[in-house]
Amino acid sequence: MNSYQVIFLPGDLVVEVQAGSTIREAMDLAGIDFDFPCGGRGKCGKCRVHVPAGTGDPTATESELLQPRELEAGIRLACEARVHGHMTVELPRQLQHNILMTSGERTYRIEPHLKKIFVEMAEPSLDAQHSDWHRLKDSLAGRGYNPACLEIPVALLRRLPDTARRAGHRLTAVMHGSTVAGLEEHDTVPVMLGMAFDIGTTTIVGYLLDLYSGEDLCAVSTLNPQTRFGADVISRITFANREKGGLNRLHTAVVEAVNKLVGEAVKKAGVTREQVYGVSIAANTCMHHLFLGINPGNIAAAPYVAAVSEPVVAGAGELGIDINPAGRVFVLPNIAGFVGADTTAVLLAAEVDRSADIKLVIDIGTNGEIALGSGERMVACSAAAGPAFEGAQISCGMRGADGAIDHVKFQDGLSYSVIGGGKPLGICGSALLDTVAGLLELGMINKRGKLLPPEQLTGEAAGLKDCFVEHGGQPAFVLAGAGETGHGRAVMITQSDIRELQLAKGAIAAGIRVLMEVLGVEPGDIKEVLLAGAFGNYLNPHSACVIGLIPPELESKITMIGNAAGTGAKLALLSSGEYRRAAGIAEYVEFVELGSYPRFNSIFARGTYF
Amino acid sequence: MNSYQVIFLPGDLVVEVQAGSTIREAMDLAGIDFDFPCGGRGKCGKCRVHVPAGTGDPTATESELLQPRELEAGIRLACEARVHGHMTVELPRQLQHNILMTSGERTYRIEPHLKKIFVEMAEPSLDAQHSDWHRLKDSLAGRGYNPACLEIPVALLRRLPDTARRAGHRLTAVMHGSTVAGLEEHDTVPVMLGMAFDIGTTTIVGYLLDLYSGEDLCAVSTLNPQTRFGADVISRITFANREKGGLNRLHTAVVEAVNKLVGEAVKKAGVTREQVYGVSIAANTCMHHLFLGINPGNIAAAPYVAAVSEPVVAGAGELGIDINPAGRVFVLPNIAGFVGADTTAVLLAAEVDRSADIKLVIDIGTNGEIALGSGERMVACSAAAGPAFEGAQISCGMRGADGAIDHVKFQDGLSYSVIGGGKPLGICGSALLDTVAGLLELGMINKRGKLLPPEQLTGEAAGLKDCFVEHGGQPAFVLAGAGETGHGRAVMITQSDIRELQLAKGAIAAGIRVLMEVLGVEPGDIKEVLLAGAFGNYLNPHSACVIGLIPPELESKITMIGNAAGTGAKLALLSSGEYRRAAGIAEYVEFVELGSYPRFNSIFARGTYF
């Protein structure tokens, strides 16, 4: 019987099917995930594809369900139209998937990095003594691969003879480009999972995904075990270079954490490690290097150069990642030494590279990464905010965990909310912002950040007088008295805390200012402000604008986009097209080194004022 | 200053040089090994190259040393002509190298698999904070590489930052295609060595070569340590599959032997392991599989299928080969389960694929590999000769070592020669052939192989009467009496020995017969017989024809080509073009399975007659 080639666009996936097969059958063979709402029974007319040639006349069902002008334009139903010649099938927008973000949905196309191809190899005979590899190549050639380009590592050649024979020559080849990355007995095509990781300096989050459907199976997270060697990036770089085997200990720690999270996730989802074929990694440049086992030392000293910024693809085994041995690790590209792959992931998720409008993207952490621009041009910098936003170096500061006051209101007297709902234990960054913003609006903090004496309080605010105390020789403002808290000590902010906040917000504000100068734009030119990251998601935009962290003109344009780095990592894992786009983003974004920017110091000093 | 691209043909090697450089300087930069007999002083006029455009007027020296018609045709001197624009330089036949073979010289072109590129990377600065890998790619782009195609393994990325800084950003990149295979401090371009191996079932031979000049630095050899697990291919396959860890023990044994030989060779030549960047391997299919760690089990049972026949390229580390970590191993392709990469290497060396004439190539060992044909079509088979030719299973047989009678003459009485010149200890295969041939010519052995009673000897030959004895109940012919030998026992051949030889020569003769039938040729159509291998190099062609091992009509057409498998391995190592040709040979040669050939048994039975 004749067989014909069917090429699916976009993606150029080629399959060979027997004459008379339906396009649906060809899709099955190609492993294309396509929606047949009625189960392919010719009832719903939803499986429209564009077939310019190679199929016969429309069936009665097609004539009924499709408009004459659709039929004229080559639109057919995949469950009805049959293959009667070589053909090109253009897939519709239905293959566009959506990923949920805090700010709504983000559309993307699933394009797995790896493909699983089920083949039935010819069995050898005295008349056809071709080698096992030759026959496997023949089978793959029948599925659209160019046999001259196919490659296989020696480790798999060693397994090929036995695997083929145990499975009766029915194998699934796991393909990475034209390289055979894995060989599995029988048909394992239906399952292919992956994990996207956002490796933060403090926290590692992993998402288990179905690589065919993009479905989020579960999320897991853990403290980055490297914290025991140093809390921040600089102390880890020091550890890597001063302690014996320091680099290797940091590298091993993060790899083990990733492996542990893979284990947790597959257990939670009731699947196995062996079903995980891909891992993507978003991380700041230092975490990126440590994950790869590369010394990040040169990031820490001028001129702050990364060893590698480009996308890195490595075998799972090469990096010690315990997933299917055929698996690959896709590390997102860095933009610069202090603007890492996590920022690339945020920009990928936020699609700023496709925007005609100018957008400001801020991911606030110990370092605030700021990007400003549009698809035409984008500049980015890293502002050394210090740990104030994360509650560190603040007298009653704590992370945004149970017991932290996270929001403070000055309407109708002072009120606050506590994470977890219990008695307060301290304040986190967002509450620090709210408090300082509130006191500023009450006129109790002047432009230079000085906490004024409570005598100046008037009207409604006069009720707050008792909150002003002296603590350790400096003025302070009490949010919760000793009797209200979980530990019996008052929770307050002191004059020093305000100074810390001024430095932190000054760094971010200066970064934004410099980027605006470089791009030659004013706040009015900025159409949207996207706040990414845990802190960005928590803070009150109004407070951020009152204290001048974000130019006040932009308050109405602020959107929280949540853990966009995680979303970017997911996109890069699910779609090789998105991964390539990430490479493009890392290349086109211009890094601005604040330290060497003229007049940076005066811009920063001005930025610390309220 | 302007710089221009110079493209060297053949090979498409591109370099960029400053305007005004000589072509010789461009060659240096490109790492092209070119002969300047006068040292590039414009004295000898030997460094002729063809430059159609891009250089200035001929210099006075060129006008003096070159003919006007040469200058008109674009011929210039590389040491004199300067680069004044983008140009293409066609290299002359001078780059054709010759390799010495027993049968003369074989011309080839040096095309190293790996290239060494010395680069001076840009140092990073606050104004140019590109990553180390980015800057290395930029440097390589300046040497003609497409930066988008360049790849580097994670293991090298880990070393890049420190290596670059230790060396002041002056590095030598070892390139395998567009992959950076190694990074070395400073300029290590001048040295690149390789080793070609012929891994026989019994003996492993290695040749240390200069990969730039093709110069043979030294040869080393050792007994294949796998012999302790089994003397022949079949017993090793059995060991691999019956003994626990058998495959791994065989694999490790041969890898260790290769590593030991590399060590011996570099010591002999006064170089280091780290200077060895390439290894090529010729071996029969079973040795090939064991070297790669692939179970050869399926070769032993019908349908005798190899796991892989195609060329295999692997990293030295992947196979445990202890050379420069950037090194690559180039394994020659097999033709079939019993016609291995050693035969491919023989055919590569013998250039039969380029011959318009029909040639017969025989490599006699325990298995005789036979190939017949021309560049148009070639057929090959493996004949199970058994060990008789190697002196095994022969009553006084021994290998061709010291003490072996290697040649026997019946002119003017009986005389023989002994390897090493001492007293005889036994006979090797070539002497067995000579003896049987001599007795056949004397009429003392009949067509069926029966040793006739000495009473029939007449004339001069009657003097041999005393050589005929009875030994262990069968007739025998004494070559050396007990008094003449080194161990005090007579050296003789018995009726059983003659039977063994009949089986061995019958197998080869039948193989030749079958190939002639398949190709439809008669002995008269065959223009040359090439005998390869140690035994083929030792035997007396006349004796081989008298006993019918080779059709007698071909006696005058026999050429010994020595260890052509070793020569083929050298060619494949020195020239990527020759390695590709080997792949073409393995693909175009048609394997003929003797066991399934119709009437093979009767052809074989006839072949055992004299």
Side-chain angles (χ1 to χ4, degrees):
Chain A
M1 195 187 272
N2 281 341
S3 66
Y4 295 110
Q5 271 199 351
V6 181
I7 304 173
F8 290 99
L9 297 178
D12 292 331
L13 200 59
V14 182
V15 290
E16 195 152 335
V17 295
Q18 291 196 325
S21 306
T22 64
I23 292 174
R24 186 193 183 194
E25 286 162 345
M27 284 177 169
D28 279 351
L29 203 63
I32 291 172
D33 178 45
F34 198 74
D35 226 18
F36 293 92
C38 72
R41 289 171 305 140
K43 300 281 176 201
C44 69
K46 298 278 189 209
C47 59
R48 284 168 163 84
V49 290
H50 184 226
V51 191
T55 178
D57 289 334
T59 63
T61 307
E62 286 178 299
S63 300
E64 191 193 317
L65 292 171
L66 296 169
Q67 307 290 334
R69 60 174 170 79
E70 287 182 312
L71 286 167
E72 252 168 57
I75 301 295
R76 302 294 297 267
L77 296 182
C79 68
E80 286 282 319
R82 291 179 187 276
V83 179
H84 292 303
H86 298 306
M87 60 163 65
T88 300
V89 177
E90 206 171 309
L91 300 172
R93 285 176 44 83
Q94 250 165 307
L95 281 194
Q96 308 268 3
H97 283 67
N98 292 311
I99 198 162
L100 211 60
M101 293 182 65
T102 309
S103 52
E105 286 189 339
R106 156 84 156 78
T107 299
Y108 69 101
R109 187 190 297 279
I110 291 205
E111 291 171 44
H113 293 276
L114 299 164
K115 284 207 175 75
K116 281 186 160 188
I117 310 283
F118 173 65
V119 293
E120 301 190 67
M121 284 169 66
E123 301 216 15
S125 70
L126 282 174
D127 298 326
Q129 296 177 309
H130 289 305
S131 74
D132 296 340
W133 172 227
H134 191 288
R135 281 158 23 245
L136 177 57
K137 284 196 293 183
D138 279 351
S139 305
L140 289 168
R143 299 296 297 277
Y145 285 89
N146 177 353
C149 298
L150 288 169
E151 295 193 2
I152 186 167
V154 172
L156 279 185
L157 273 181
R158 288 175 182 156
R159 291 183 43 226
L160 174 57
D162 282 359
T163 308
R165 282 162 187 82
R166 263 201 313 270
H169 286 82
R170 296 162 51 86
L171 296 181
T172 298
V174 184
M175 303 297 300
H176 181 222
S178 53
T179 298
V180 181
L183 286 171
E184 300 179 350
E185 295 179 37
H186 311 298
D187 185 355
T188 68
V189 171
V191 181
M192 192 155 59
L193 309 178
M195 277 196 81
F197 284 93
D198 174 17
I199 302 182
T201 308
T202 311
T203 311
I204 305 177
V205 188
Y207 307 91
L208 182 64
L209 301 166
D210 183 315
L211 296 184
Y212 288 124
S213 67
E215 193 193 341
D216 228 317
L217 300 180
C218 68
V220 286
S221 70
T222 183
L223 192 74
N224 187 332
Q226 294 176 338
T227 37
R228 69 174 179 271
F229 306 116
D232 54 44
V233 163
I234 297 299
S235 60
R236 289 192 208 159
I237 292 178
T238 307
F239 184 87
N241 286 283
R242 297 249 174 97
E243 297 294 322
K244 205 182 152 190
L247 172 60
N248 193 43
R249 285 162 73 188
L250 289 163
H251 169 60
T252 307
V254 64
V255 166
E256 278 172 2
V258 164
N259 284 336
K260 213 188 83 204
L261 288 179
V262 173
E264 270 177 40
V266 296
K267 199 173 161 196
K268 223 166 157 178
V271 295
T272 67
R273 273 182 195 282
E274 286 64 40
Q275 293 175 326
V276 179
Y277 292 84
V279 158
S280 67
I281 304 285
N284 63 53
T285 311
C286 177
M287 293 306 111
H288 166 285
H289 278 40
L290 292 176
F291 174 77
L292 289 172
I294 299 171
N295 191 333
N298 297 312
I299 301 172
Y304 316 110
V305 167
V308 58
S309 286
E310 292 75 3
V312 173
V313 181
E318 226 175 321
L319 293 173
I321 300 302
D322 189 7
I323 55 172
N324 187 297
R328 293 284 190 269
V329 180
F330 302 91
V331 182
L332 279 104
N334 298 312
I335 291 165
F338 278 99
V339 180
D342 48 356
T343 303
T344 309
V346 169
L347 297 177
L348 177 67
E351 287 188 292
V352 187
D353 59 319
R354 282 175 175 160
S355 166
D357 294 332
I358 293 175
K359 296 186 180 185
L360 173 64
V361 185
I362 313 176
D363 188 352
I364 303 176
T366 307
N367 278 293
E369 287 96 18
I370 310 163
L372 178 70
S374 64
E376 201 183 317
R377 186 182 174 197
M378 176 149 341
V379 290
C381 68
S382 172
F389 293 131
E390 291 177 337
Q393 287 175 28
I394 298 299
S395 54
C396 295
M398 63 180 287
R399 299 186 54 75
D402 277 2
I405 297 178
D406 60 345
H407 285 298
V408 178
K409 272 191 192 161
F410 285 84
Q411 285 169 321
D412 309 322
L414 180 71
S415 65
Y416 56 78
S417 58
V418 177
I419 298 177
K423 288 186 173 183
L425 299 170
I427 60 167
C428 69
S430 52
L432 179 64
L433 248 67
D434 287 351
T435 310
V436 173
L439 293 172
L440 270 168
E441 288 184 314
L442 287 172
M444 299 308 295
I445 296 178
N446 72 10
K447 287 272 163 203
R448 298 182 153 268
K450 191 168 152 40
L451 199 55
L452 300 175
E455 295 80 46
Q456 298 183 8
L457 282 171
T458 54
E460 208 183 333
L464 296 174
K465 269 198 177 110
D466 294 347
C467 297
F468 288 81
V469 298
E470 199 176 287
H471 181 81
Q474 56 173 322
F477 180 83
V478 175
L479 285 168
E484 296 173 50
T485 64
H487 45 45
R489 293 188 306 277
V491 170
M492 63 182 74
I493 68 158
T494 67
Q495 179 65 60
S496 309
D497 296 342
I498 297 169
R499 296 285 179 225
E500 286 292 330
L501 181 67
Q502 281 178 277
L503 293 175
K505 81 102 185 173
I508 304 285
I512 295 172
R513 184 73 243 162
V514 168
L515 293 187
M516 290 199 300
E517 284 191 15
V518 171
L519 214 60
V521 301
E522 287 302 317
D525 300 321
I526 299 172
K527 290 287 181 294
E528 197 175 12
V529 179
L530 303 172
L531 287 185
F535 178 67
N537 221 27
Y538 241 93
L539 59 73
N540 180 330
H542 174 69
S543 301
C545 290
V546 167
I547 68 162
L549 175 68
I550 295 168
E553 304 92 315
L554 298 175
E555 186 179 331
S556 64
K557 298 175 180 172
I558 294 176
T559 306
M560 266 86 154
I561 56 171
N563 181 9
T567 307
K570 288 181 190 175
L571 289 169
L573 176 65
L574 293 166
S575 167
S576 52
E578 295 282 344
Y579 188 57
R580 277 194 301 275
R581 240 186 84 211
I585 289 172
E587 233 174 275
Y588 106 103
V589 174
E590 299 162 37
F591 174 67
V592 177
E593 170 64 39
L594 293 183
S596 58
Y597 188 77
R599 296 179 299 108
F600 176 73
N601 287 342
S602 69
I603 294 172
F604 170 63
R606 214 179 326 135
T608 61
Y609 292 0
F610 290 120
Chain B
M1 195 187 273
N2 281 340
S3 66
Y4 295 111
Q5 272 198 350
V6 181
I7 305 174
F8 290 99
L9 297 178
D12 292 331
L13 200 59
V14 183
V15 290
E16 195 153 333
V17 295
Q18 291 196 326
S21 308
T22 62
I23 293 174
R24 186 193 183 196
E25 286 162 347
M27 283 175 171
D28 278 352
L29 203 63
I32 290 170
D33 178 45
F34 199 74
D35 227 18
F36 293 92
C38 71
R41 290 172 304 142
K43 302 281 174 201
C44 70
K46 298 279 189 207
C47 59
R48 284 168 164 84
V49 290
H50 184 226
V51 191
T55 180
D57 288 335
T59 63
T61 308
E62 286 178 301
S63 300
E64 189 193 320
L65 292 170
L66 296 169
Q67 308 289 334
R69 61 174 170 77
E70 285 181 316
L71 286 168
E72 251 169 58
I75 300 295
R76 302 295 296 268
L77 297 183
C79 68
E80 286 282 320
R82 292 179 186 274
V83 179
H84 292 304
H86 298 306
M87 59 164 64
T88 300
V89 176
E90 205 171 308
L91 300 171
R93 285 175 45 81
Q94 248 165 309
L95 282 195
Q96 308 268 3
H97 284 68
N98 293 311
I99 197 162
L100 210 62
M101 293 182 65
T102 310
S103 51
E105 284 189 339
R106 155 83 157 79
T107 298
Y108 69 101
R109 186 189 298 277
I110 290 205
E111 293 171 43
H113 293 276
L114 299 164
K115 284 206 175 75
K116 280 187 162 187
I117 310 284
F118 173 65
V119 293
E120 300 189 68
M121 283 169 66
E123 300 216 19
S125 70
L126 281 173
D127 299 325
Q129 295 178 310
H130 289 305
S131 73
D132 296 339
W133 171 227
H134 191 289
R135 281 157 25 245
L136 177 58
K137 284 197 294 184
D138 279 350
S139 306
L140 289 168
R143 300 296 297 277
Y145 285 90
N146 177 354
C149 298
L150 288 169
E151 295 192 3
I152 186 167
V154 172
L156 280 185
L157 273 181
R158 290 176 182 155
R159 291 183 43 227
L160 174 57
D162 282 359
T163 308
R165 283 164 186 80
R166 262 200 314 270
H169 285 83
R170 297 161 51 85
L171 297 181
T172 299
V174 184
M175 304 298 300
H176 182 222
S178 54
T179 297
V180 180
L183 286 172
E184 300 179 350
E185 293 179 37
H186 310 297
D187 184 355
T188 69
V189 171
V191 182
M192 193 157 56
L193 309 177
M195 277 197 79
F197 283 93
D198 173 17
I199 303 181
T201 309
T202 310
T203 310
I204 305 177
V205 188
Y207 307 90
L208 182 65
L209 301 165
D210 183 316
L211 296 183
Y212 289 123
S213 67
E215 193 194 342
D216 228 316
L217 300 181
C218 68
V220 285
S221 71
T222 183
L223 192 72
N224 188 332
Q226 295 175 339
T227 38
R228 67 175 181 270
F229 306 116
D232 54 43
V233 163
I234 296 300
S235 60
R236 288 191 209 161
I237 292 178
T238 308
F239 184 86
N241 286 283
R242 297 250 173 98
E243 298 293 323
K244 204 180 154 191
L247 172 61
N248 193 45
R249 287 163 73 188
L250 289 162
H251 168 60
T252 307
V254 64
V255 167
E256 280 173 1
V258 164
N259 284 336
K260 213 188 84 206
L261 288 180
V262 172
E264 270 178 39
V266 296
K267 199 173 163 195
K268 225 167 155 177
V271 295
T272 67
R273 274 183 194 282
E274 287 63 40
Q275 295 176 323
V276 179
Y277 291 84
V279 157
S280 67
I281 303 285
N284 63 54
T285 310
C286 177
M287 293 306 112
H288 166 285
H289 279 40
L290 291 176
F291 174 77
L292 288 172
I294 300 171
N295 191 332
N298 298 311
I299 301 172
Y304 317 109
V305 167
V308 57
S309 285
E310 292 75 2
V312 173
V313 180
E318 227 175 318
L319 294 173
I321 300 302
D322 189 7
I323 55 172
N324 188 296
R328 293 286 190 269
V329 179
F330 302 91
V331 183
L332 279 104
N334 298 311
I335 292 166
F338 279 99
V339 180
D342 48 356
T343 303
T344 309
V346 168
L347 297 176
L348 177 66
E351 288 189 290
V352 187
D353 58 320
R354 282 175 175 161
S355 165
D357 295 333
I358 293 175
K359 297 186 179 186
L360 173 64
V361 184
I362 313 176
D363 188 353
I364 302 175
T366 307
N367 278 292
E369 287 95 19
I370 310 163
L372 178 71
S374 64
E376 201 182 318
R377 186 182 175 197
M378 176 150 339
V379 290
C381 68
S382 172
F389 294 131
E390 292 178 336
Q393 285 174 30
I394 298 299
S395 55
C396 294
M398 66 180 285
R399 298 187 54 75
D402 276 2
I405 297 178
D406 60 344
H407 286 298
V408 178
K409 273 190 191 161
F410 284 84
Q411 284 169 322
D412 308 323
L414 179 71
S415 66
Y416 56 77
S417 58
V418 178
I419 298 176
K423 286 185 173 184
L425 299 169
I427 61 168
C428 70
S430 52
L432 178 64
L433 247 68
D434 286 350
T435 310
V436 172
L439 292 173
L440 270 166
E441 289 185 312
L442 288 172
M444 299 308 294
I445 294 178
N446 73 9
K447 287 273 164 204
R448 299 182 153 268
K450 193 169 151 39
L451 199 56
L452 300 176
E455 296 81 44
Q456 298 185 8
L457 283 171
T458 54
E460 208 182 334
L464 296 173
K465 268 197 178 114
D466 294 347
C467 297
F468 289 81
V469 299
E470 199 175 286
H471 181 82
Q474 55 172 325
F477 180 83
V478 175
L479 285 168
E484 295 173 49
T485 66
H487 43 45
R489 294 187 306 276
V491 170
M492 62 182 78
I493 69 158
T494 67
Q495 179 64 59
S496 308
D497 296 341
I498 298 170
R499 295 287 179 223
E500 286 292 332
L501 181 67
Q502 281 179 278
L503 293 175
K505 80 103 185 174
I508 303 288
I512 296 172
R513 185 72 242 163
V514 168
L515 293 188
M516 290 200 300
E517 284 192 15
V518 172
L519 213 60
V521 300
E522 288 301 318
D525 300 321
I526 298 171
K527 289 289 180 294
E528 196 175 11
V529 180
L530 303 171
L531 287 186
F535 178 69
N537 221 28
Y538 242 92
L539 60 71
N540 180 330
H542 175 69
S543 301
C545 290
V546 168
I547 68 163
L549 174 69
I550 295 167
E553 303 91 315
L554 298 175
E555 187 178 331
S556 63
K557 300 175 179 172
I558 294 175
T559 306
M560 265 86 153
I561 57 171
N563 182 10
T567 307
K570 289 181 190 175
L571 289 168
L573 176 66
L574 293 167
S575 167
S576 53
E578 296 282 344
Y579 187 58
R580 277 195 301 277
R581 241 186 84 210
I585 290 172
E587 232 174 273
Y588 106 103
V589 174
E590 299 163 37
F591 174 67
V592 177
E593 170 63 40
L594 293 181
S596 58
Y597 188 77
R599 296 179 301 106
F600 175 74
N601 287 343
S602 69
I603 294 172
F604 170 64
R606 215 180 324 133
T608 62
Y609 291 0
F610 290 120

